[in-house]
Every structure is written in C-alpha cells, then in structure tokens.
Amino acid sequence: MKDNLIITIGRQFGSGGREIGKYLAEMLNLNYYDKELILEASKASGLCTECFERVDEKAPNRFFNALSKGWLSGASGMPSGGWSDEMIFKVQSDVIRDIADKHNAVIVGRCADYILRDYKGCVSVFIHAKEEDCVRRIIERNSGMGESEARDLAQKRNKIRAAYYNFYTDKVWGDGATYDMCINSSAIGTKAAAQLIAEFVRQRGLIE
Amino acid sequence: MKDNLIITIGRQFGSGGREIGKYLAEMLNLNYYDKELILEASKASGLCTECFERVDEKAPNRFFNALSKGWLSGASGMPSGGWSDEMIFKVQSDVIRDIADKHNAVIVGRCADYILRDYKGCVSVFIHAKEEDCVRRIIERNSGMGESEARDLAQKRNKIRAAYYNFYTDKVWGDGATYDMCINSSAIGTKAAAQLIAEFVRQRGLIE
C-alpha cells in the first residue's frame, strides 16, 4: 500500500499555522483538515458536533474540568450521561488515521503528529511567531479586541494546547525534538514558511 | 554598517549539528567556529585555554560545581585563585560579538543565538535527531564505546547543555520557540538539513 503524504501542523495561537497549512495544501494539492476534522469525526461516529467541540482545543474549561475529575485518566472514565473526553479523543484519533489511510493531507492541531507517528509518509511541523505578530493576527480576526486582551488570550490558548497535547502524548508540545521541523513564521513570513516545509517534504523524498 | 550573516547552531549531542555547520560554512562561504572559538577567546583575553575548557559545555562537573557554589550567580563571584565561570562566559560572549561584527560565520553552541539575539543578520537553528542516530554517531567518534555507554553519554551531555543554556539565557534550550528553525536531521540527513537552512537564510533575504 502506498503511504500517503501527511503534513501535521502544531502551532502557537496566532502564529499563522493555519494559514501556512492552507498554503501548503494548495501548493501540494493536499486535503486540508482543521475544524472540518471535527465535523467529519462527528458524522463518522454519529456523535453530535457539540460533543466534539466540548473537548476541542478551544474549550479550555471543559478540558480542565475533565482533567480535574479524572475523566481522562481511565479507560472506563465515562461521565454519566455522555461520552468521556477520552472516548471522544479516541474517535478523533480513528478519524485522523482514516484520513491518513485515504488521503494526502495537511492536518492542523489535534495531536495528529503523535497519532500518526508511525506513518512513513508523515512530516510533523510546529509553527511559532513573535508575540507581537501573534497579537496582531488575533486582533485582525477579532474586531474590537485590544492588545492586552489578545495577549492574554494567546497565553491561555497556548497553555490549553500544551496541556491537551502533553496529556494525550508522551512528548512535549512545542519542544523542538517533538517535531521534524519548527519554524518561526515571524522570521520569513507564512508563504515562505510553507515553501520551506514543501522543500523539507521534497528532501524527505515524499514528493518530487 | 553592514550586518554580517551569522548562523548559530544549537544541537543535541550526536545529532550531526557540527557536521551541518561545516556544510553550511562551506556552502555559503562562512567562517566556522566551534572549539576554535574557545581558543580565539583565550588568546584575546590572555587567559589560558584550560580556563575556558573548564566551563566549556563539555565540562559538566566543573559547571555544576560552579552552579552549586553560586559562582555564577553574582557579579563578584570570582573564586579565589582564578576567574569565575561567569567572567569566562562574559569573555566568550565578547568574542562571539566580535566575530559577528567582523565576519560572516557559523557558530556552534555556546549560547551564541542568545548572545546575538539583537543582530539583524543572525539566524538561529537547533538540530536534533533520533536517539539511535545520535548513538551511532557517538560510537563512530569513540572507537570501542558500547551502545549503552553512548546513550548515557548523550543524555548527560544534553542535560549539561540544557543547564548551561538555561542558566545563561532567559530561554529554554531545545524549545521550538527559542530558535528560528529546528530540524530533525534523522528525517532528511545532514546535507539536506544544511541546504534547508541555507534556503531559510535565503527566504529571510540575507543571501541571494
């Protein structure tokens, strides 16, 4: 069986990781998964979209609630009346593996690099940027938001992403050695970062 | 004044960082500094080479002795009968800045990325590799060394490098966000890694 090309992107909040993922998908003709992944997972499992958004990286309180209640730590950790966060993570992981089996794809977030760590065609990337650039991007996306609020939001989201990743994997979110390649998007911009990742994939022999 | 091109390379022990640095220096016609740096520093300051080797990244015991005795924490921390490690670090930093002022260069290790953090022409890189590849490289360099010994040595050296870097800077050794670019040399090999760094430097607009 041919190994599909999968590029996973972890990223600091506001670092332009999603933008880079979209450039890459366009440049190399790959499918792109981000929020869409959650929807696809919902459909495949028959679970409601809301269930997935509950443990999505963007739902810090619920995630930490789950952590503090120990829902995530045991195989039988299903809270009464719903799916446990761990079970939802399991379904998401199955969906990610299913995508990797069927498509060439860019997958942003959701521990995809770890879930696909044994896939030969998988390249894992982490994007970060100067705080001022992250703040600028966050403000552009949220009209009316002030600088200090955007800075706080970035810090909180990064903490959540790190906690989520470090809980579900045996690696460290944002650590250089966790990924095949990390790039400071502030240094070269998002388009050049995407080109550089494509060059890495080429050097790996995964594309011509 | 023209900003010189400086590429700093932090690296896991045995990851091929030095090899990559040498390829880069050759490829882009840059000066290369590693051990040579220590010697140059010695000459410039009039200190003996041994004084520098004492706090070199390769002298873990002495470094931790210095840490435990608090020699590194105060400006006046000079042990009787010699130069304090902090003073030697200061001289090394001056030498690194002097190199950056005068030459286009690759500088391996020694917190050069942090020392030159405000230099516009500086690109900071971190190299890591799979443990098995690091072990293989270490054994190649040390005939007669066994696998388990090489693994232990790598772990110790990395701990020392991290402690040294984290002590002298306000960043985290090996953390993705500390550097402009991190590369897993196991994924693409050292030559391709050097080419990719050159491409990053090109995208930054520092070379044509």
Side-chain angles (χ1 to χ4, degrees):
Chain A
M1 197 183 92
K2 174 186 158 290
D3 285 306
N4 287 316
L5 168 61
I6 308 290
I7 302 171
T8 65
I9 300 186
R11 72 291 181 222
Q12 286 183 341
F13 192 69
S15 67
R18 211 169 44 168
E19 205 172 301
I20 290 169
K22 285 183 176 170
Y23 281 137
L24 264 171
E26 201 176 324
M27 199 185 301
L28 303 179
N29 196 25
L30 312 172
N31 286 10
Y32 173 86
Y33 298 92
D34 184 4
K35 258 201 176 168
E36 295 75 16
L37 175 67
I38 302 171
L39 291 170
E40 181 158 344
S42 309
K43 287 177 209 155
S45 66
L47 279 184
C48 62
T49 307
E50 289 73 19
C51 292
F52 281 85
E53 283 178 350
R54 196 164 62 82
V55 286
D56 185 51
E57 293 170 326
K58 290 177 186 163
N61 294 332
R62 295 306 189 92
F63 176 64
F64 279 121
N65 275 345
L67 266 180
S68 66
K69 288 178 185 167
W71 293 354
L72 301 170
S73 56
S76 62
M78 188 168 104
S80 62
W83 288 62
S84 75
D85 299 287
E86 199 175 38
M87 287 165 77
I88 294 178
F89 180 80
K90 171 77 173 60
V91 174
Q92 279 203 16
S93 302
D94 288 344
V95 170
I96 287 172
R97 277 187 283 264
D98 195 50
I99 288 169
D101 286 338
K102 292 180 182 157
H103 308 283
N104 296 312
V106 171
I107 307 177
V108 178
R110 284 158 193 84
C111 308
D113 59 306
Y114 186 78
I115 293 160
L116 301 178
R117 64 194 177 282
D118 294 327
Y119 275 60
K120 287 198 178 117
C122 182
V123 169
S124 61
V125 176
F126 183 81
I127 305 297
H128 59 94
K130 275 188 191 168
E131 194 188 49
E132 63 208 60
D133 291 331
C134 295
V135 165
R136 181 185 44 74
R137 242 184 229 103
I138 294 164
I139 290 174
E140 278 170 13
R141 288 200 300 240
N142 299 277
S143 67
M145 187 178 276
E147 256 189 54
S148 137
E149 199 185 345
R151 191 170 294 112
D152 287 352
L153 182 64
Q155 281 176 3
K156 276 181 200 155
R157 292 287 169 96
N158 287 337
K159 276 188 190 168
I160 298 303
R161 286 180 181 178
Y164 182 87
Y165 187 92
N166 298 349
F167 182 84
Y168 281 112
T169 79
D170 62 4
K171 299 194 164 193
V172 179
W173 183 83
D175 187 48
T178 295
Y179 310 89
D180 287 322
M181 192 185 194
C182 301
I183 299 178
N184 172 9
S185 66
S186 292
I188 54 170
T190 50
K191 261 195 185 150
Q195 281 162 1
L196 211 66
I197 296 165
E199 185 54 32
F200 186 100
V201 171
R202 207 166 282 126
Q203 298 278 13
R204 253 296 283 283
L206 298 173
I207 56 172
E208 280 179 8
Chain B
M1 197 183 92
K2 176 185 157 289
D3 285 305
N4 287 316
L5 167 61
I6 307 291
I7 302 171
T8 65
I9 300 186
R11 71 290 180 224
Q12 285 183 343
F13 192 70
S15 66
R18 212 170 43 169
E19 207 172 298
I20 291 169
K22 285 183 176 170
Y23 281 137
L24 264 172
E26 202 175 325
M27 200 185 300
L28 303 179
N29 196 25
L30 312 173
N31 286 10
Y32 172 86
Y33 298 91
D34 184 5
K35 260 201 174 167
E36 296 74 18
L37 175 66
I38 301 171
L39 290 170
E40 180 158 344
S42 309
K43 286 177 208 155
S45 66
L47 280 182
C48 61
T49 307
E50 289 72 21
C51 292
F52 282 85
E53 283 177 350
R54 195 164 61 84
V55 286
D56 185 53
E57 292 169 329
K58 290 177 187 163
N61 293 333
R62 294 307 188 93
F63 175 64
F64 279 122
N65 276 345
L67 265 181
S68 66
K69 288 178 184 167
W71 293 353
L72 302 171
S73 56
S76 62
M78 189 168 105
S80 61
W83 288 60
S84 74
D85 300 287
E86 199 175 37
M87 287 165 76
I88 294 179
F89 179 81
K90 170 76 173 56
V91 174
Q92 279 203 16
S93 302
D94 288 344
V95 170
I96 287 172
R97 277 187 284 264
D98 195 49
I99 288 170
D101 285 338
K102 292 180 181 156
H103 308 283
N104 296 313
V106 171
I107 307 176
V108 178
R110 284 157 192 84
C111 309
D113 58 307
Y114 186 77
I115 293 160
L116 301 177
R117 63 194 177 282
D118 294 327
Y119 275 61
K120 287 199 181 116
C122 182
V123 169
S124 61
V125 176
F126 183 81
I127 305 296
H128 59 94
K130 275 189 191 167
E131 195 189 49
E132 65 209 59
D133 291 331
C134 295
V135 165
R136 181 184 46 73
R137 241 184 230 104
I138 294 164
I139 291 174
E140 279 169 13
R141 289 199 299 239
N142 300 276
S143 67
M145 187 177 276
E147 256 189 52
S148 135
E149 200 185 343
R151 191 170 294 112
D152 288 351
L153 183 64
Q155 281 175 4
K156 276 182 200 154
R157 292 287 170 95
N158 288 336
K159 275 188 191 168
I160 298 303
R161 286 179 181 180
Y164 183 87
Y165 187 92
N166 299 349
F167 182 83
Y168 281 112
T169 79
D170 61 3
K171 299 194 165 193
V172 178
W173 183 83
D175 186 49
T178 295
Y179 310 89
D180 286 323
M181 192 184 194
C182 300
I183 298 178
N184 171 10
S185 67
S186 292
I188 54 170
T190 49
K191 261 194 186 150
Q195 282 161 1
L196 211 66
I197 296 165
E199 185 53 33
F200 186 100
V201 171
R202 208 165 280 125
Q203 298 277 13
R204 254 296 283 285
L206 298 173
I207 56 171
E208 282 181 7

PDB file of all heavy atoms in Angstrom, chain A residues 119-134:
ATOM      1  N   TYR A 119       3.442   6.561  10.796  1.00  0.00           N
ATOM      2  CA  TYR A 119       3.173   6.650   9.359  1.00  0.00           C
ATOM      3  C   TYR A 119       4.434   7.134   8.634  1.00  0.00           C
ATOM      4  O   TYR A 119       4.945   8.207   8.939  1.00  0.00           O
ATOM      5  CB  TYR A 119       2.019   7.622   9.090  1.00  0.00           C
ATOM      6  CG  TYR A 119       0.652   6.982   9.216  1.00  0.00           C
ATOM      7  CD1 TYR A 119       0.240   6.400  10.406  1.00  0.00           C
ATOM      8  CD2 TYR A 119      -0.225   6.934   8.131  1.00  0.00           C
ATOM      9  CE1 TYR A 119      -0.997   5.804  10.520  1.00  0.00           C
ATOM     10  CE2 TYR A 119      -1.470   6.338   8.242  1.00  0.00           C
ATOM     11  CZ  TYR A 119      -1.851   5.776   9.443  1.00  0.00           C
ATOM     12  OH  TYR A 119      -3.086   5.191   9.551  1.00  0.00           O
ATOM     13  N   LYS A 120       4.879   6.354   7.675  1.00  0.00           N
ATOM     14  CA  LYS A 120       6.139   6.708   6.998  1.00  0.00           C
ATOM     15  C   LYS A 120       6.031   7.988   6.184  1.00  0.00           C
ATOM     16  O   LYS A 120       7.013   8.680   5.980  1.00  0.00           O
ATOM     17  CB  LYS A 120       6.575   5.552   6.094  1.00  0.00           C
ATOM     18  CG  LYS A 120       7.091   4.377   6.909  1.00  0.00           C
ATOM     19  CD  LYS A 120       7.911   3.426   6.061  1.00  0.00           C
ATOM     20  CE  LYS A 120       8.443   2.291   6.931  1.00  0.00           C
ATOM     21  NZ  LYS A 120       7.918   0.988   6.532  1.00  0.00           N
ATOM     22  N   GLY A 121       4.834   8.294   5.714  1.00  0.00           N
ATOM     23  CA  GLY A 121       4.672   9.477   4.864  1.00  0.00           C
ATOM     24  C   GLY A 121       4.307  10.734   5.638  1.00  0.00           C
ATOM     25  O   GLY A 121       3.877  11.716   5.037  1.00  0.00           O
ATOM     26  N   CYS A 122       4.507  10.698   6.953  1.00  0.00           N
ATOM     27  CA  CYS A 122       4.072  11.831   7.793  1.00  0.00           C
ATOM     28  C   CYS A 122       5.239  12.748   8.172  1.00  0.00           C
ATOM     29  O   CYS A 122       6.265  12.296   8.655  1.00  0.00           O
ATOM     30  CB  CYS A 122       3.396  11.294   9.050  1.00  0.00           C
ATOM     31  SG  CYS A 122       2.771  12.587  10.129  1.00  0.00           S
ATOM     32  N   VAL A 123       5.067  14.026   7.936  1.00  0.00           N
ATOM     33  CA  VAL A 123       6.046  15.039   8.343  1.00  0.00           C
ATOM     34  C   VAL A 123       5.371  15.960   9.362  1.00  0.00           C
ATOM     35  O   VAL A 123       4.292  16.490   9.106  1.00  0.00           O
ATOM     36  CB  VAL A 123       6.512  15.869   7.127  1.00  0.00           C
ATOM     37  CG1 VAL A 123       7.322  17.082   7.576  1.00  0.00           C
ATOM     38  CG2 VAL A 123       7.353  15.011   6.186  1.00  0.00           C
ATOM     39  N   SER A 124       6.001  16.122  10.527  1.00  0.00           N
ATOM     40  CA  SER A 124       5.389  16.940  11.576  1.00  0.00           C
ATOM     41  C   SER A 124       6.088  18.281  11.706  1.00  0.00           C
ATOM     42  O   SER A 124       7.310  18.363  11.719  1.00  0.00           O
ATOM     43  CB  SER A 124       5.435  16.203  12.909  1.00  0.00           C
ATOM     44  OG  SER A 124       6.775  15.944  13.283  1.00  0.00           O
ATOM     45  N   VAL A 125       5.277  19.317  11.785  1.00  0.00           N
ATOM     46  CA  VAL A 125       5.806  20.682  11.797  1.00  0.00           C
ATOM     47  C   VAL A 125       5.209  21.441  12.979  1.00  0.00           C
ATOM     48  O   VAL A 125       4.070  21.178  13.374  1.00  0.00           O
ATOM     49  CB  VAL A 125       5.414  21.392  10.475  1.00  0.00           C
ATOM     50  CG1 VAL A 125       5.849  22.842  10.490  1.00  0.00           C
ATOM     51  CG2 VAL A 125       6.009  20.670   9.278  1.00  0.00           C
ATOM     52  N   PHE A 126       5.981  22.359  13.536  1.00  0.00           N
ATOM     53  CA  PHE A 126       5.449  23.264  14.567  1.00  0.00           C
ATOM     54  C   PHE A 126       5.751  24.699  14.152  1.00  0.00           C
ATOM     55  O   PHE A 126       6.860  25.010  13.727  1.00  0.00           O
ATOM     56  CB  PHE A 126       6.089  22.970  15.935  1.00  0.00           C
ATOM     57  CG  PHE A 126       5.535  23.813  17.049  1.00  0.00           C
ATOM     58  CD1 PHE A 126       4.335  23.482  17.654  1.00  0.00           C
ATOM     59  CD2 PHE A 126       6.213  24.940  17.503  1.00  0.00           C
ATOM     60  CE1 PHE A 126       3.810  24.252  18.686  1.00  0.00           C
ATOM     61  CE2 PHE A 126       5.696  25.724  18.534  1.00  0.00           C
ATOM     62  CZ  PHE A 126       4.490  25.372  19.131  1.00  0.00           C
ATOM     63  N   ILE A 127       4.735  25.555  14.253  1.00  0.00           N
ATOM     64  CA  ILE A 127       4.894  26.967  13.866  1.00  0.00           C
ATOM     65  C   ILE A 127       4.780  27.851  15.109  1.00  0.00           C
ATOM     66  O   ILE A 127       3.863  27.690  15.910  1.00  0.00           O
ATOM     67  CB  ILE A 127       3.795  27.394  12.861  1.00  0.00           C
ATOM     68  CG1 ILE A 127       3.788  26.464  11.640  1.00  0.00           C
ATOM     69  CG2 ILE A 127       3.979  28.859  12.448  1.00  0.00           C
ATOM     70  CD1 ILE A 127       5.042  26.488  10.806  1.00  0.00           C
ATOM     71  N   HIS A 128       5.723  28.756  15.248  1.00  0.00           N
ATOM     72  CA  HIS A 128       5.620  29.752  16.308  1.00  0.00           C
ATOM     73  C   HIS A 128       5.943  31.112  15.708  1.00  0.00           C
ATOM     74  O   HIS A 128       6.349  31.206  14.540  1.00  0.00           O
ATOM     75  CB  HIS A 128       6.568  29.423  17.469  1.00  0.00           C
ATOM     76  CG  HIS A 128       8.008  29.353  17.087  1.00  0.00           C
ATOM     77  ND1 HIS A 128       8.854  30.419  17.195  1.00  0.00           N
ATOM     78  CD2 HIS A 128       8.753  28.343  16.553  1.00  0.00           C
ATOM     79  CE1 HIS A 128      10.059  30.064  16.780  1.00  0.00           C
ATOM     80  NE2 HIS A 128      10.027  28.818  16.377  1.00  0.00           N
ATOM     81  N   ALA A 129       5.741  32.163  16.475  1.00  0.00           N
ATOM     82  CA  ALA A 129       5.992  33.513  15.971  1.00  0.00           C
ATOM     83  C   ALA A 129       6.243  34.442  17.138  1.00  0.00           C
ATOM     84  O   ALA A 129       5.959  34.098  18.288  1.00  0.00           O
ATOM     85  CB  ALA A 129       4.796  34.000  15.159  1.00  0.00           C
ATOM     86  N   LYS A 130       6.784  35.608  16.832  1.00  0.00           N
ATOM     87  CA  LYS A 130       6.962  36.644  17.857  1.00  0.00           C
ATOM     88  C   LYS A 130       5.607  36.980  18.459  1.00  0.00           C
ATOM     89  O   LYS A 130       4.601  37.041  17.752  1.00  0.00           O
ATOM     90  CB  LYS A 130       7.513  37.918  17.208  1.00  0.00           C
ATOM     91  CG  LYS A 130       8.998  37.955  17.041  1.00  0.00           C
ATOM     92  CD  LYS A 130       9.377  39.368  16.584  1.00  0.00           C
ATOM     93  CE  LYS A 130      10.811  39.440  16.130  1.00  0.00           C
ATOM     94  NZ  LYS A 130      11.094  40.691  15.426  1.00  0.00           N
ATOM     95  N   GLU A 131       5.616  37.275  19.752  1.00  0.00           N
ATOM     96  CA  GLU A 131       4.357  37.585  20.435  1.00  0.00           C
ATOM     97  C   GLU A 131       3.606  38.721  19.738  1.00  0.00           C
ATOM     98  O   GLU A 131       2.387  38.649  19.533  1.00  0.00           O
ATOM     99  CB  GLU A 131       4.624  37.948  21.903  1.00  0.00           C
ATOM    100  CG  GLU A 131       3.366  37.935  22.739  1.00  0.00           C
ATOM    101  CD  GLU A 131       3.581  38.483  24.134  1.00  0.00           C
ATOM    102  OE1 GLU A 131       4.168  39.578  24.267  1.00  0.00           O
ATOM    103  OE2 GLU A 131       3.153  37.835  25.095  1.00  0.00           O
ATOM    104  N   GLU A 132       4.329  39.755  19.320  1.00  0.00           N
ATOM    105  CA  GLU A 132       3.665  40.915  18.707  1.00  0.00           C
ATOM    106  C   GLU A 132       2.948  40.512  17.403  1.00  0.00           C
ATOM    107  O   GLU A 132       1.887  41.051  17.083  1.00  0.00           O
ATOM    108  CB  GLU A 132       4.683  42.036  18.449  1.00  0.00           C
ATOM    109  CG  GLU A 132       5.772  41.669  17.454  1.00  0.00           C
ATOM    110  CD  GLU A 132       7.091  42.420  17.670  1.00  0.00           C
ATOM    111  OE1 GLU A 132       7.668  42.281  18.775  1.00  0.00           O
ATOM    112  OE2 GLU A 132       7.540  43.111  16.744  1.00  0.00           O
ATOM    113  N   ASP A 133       3.513  39.573  16.672  1.00  0.00           N
ATOM    114  CA  ASP A 133       2.867  39.126  15.427  1.00  0.00           C
ATOM    115  C   ASP A 133       1.633  38.271  15.719  1.00  0.00           C
ATOM    116  O   ASP A 133       0.630  38.348  14.998  1.00  0.00           O
ATOM    117  CB  ASP A 133       3.860  38.340  14.561  1.00  0.00           C
ATOM    118  CG  ASP A 133       4.952  39.242  14.011  1.00  0.00           C
ATOM    119  OD1 ASP A 133       4.679  40.447  13.810  1.00  0.00           O
ATOM    120  OD2 ASP A 133       6.082  38.763  13.799  1.00  0.00           O
ATOM    121  N   CYS A 134       1.716  37.444  16.757  1.00  0.00           N
ATOM    122  CA  CYS A 134       0.549  36.638  17.151  1.00  0.00           C
ATOM    123  C   CYS A 134      -0.585  37.565  17.576  1.00  0.00           C
ATOM    124  O   CYS A 134      -1.742  37.398  17.155  1.00  0.00           O
ATOM    125  CB  CYS A 134       0.899  35.693  18.302  1.00  0.00           C
ATOM    126  SG  CYS A 134       2.126  34.432  17.855  1.00  0.00           S
TER     127      CYS A 134
END
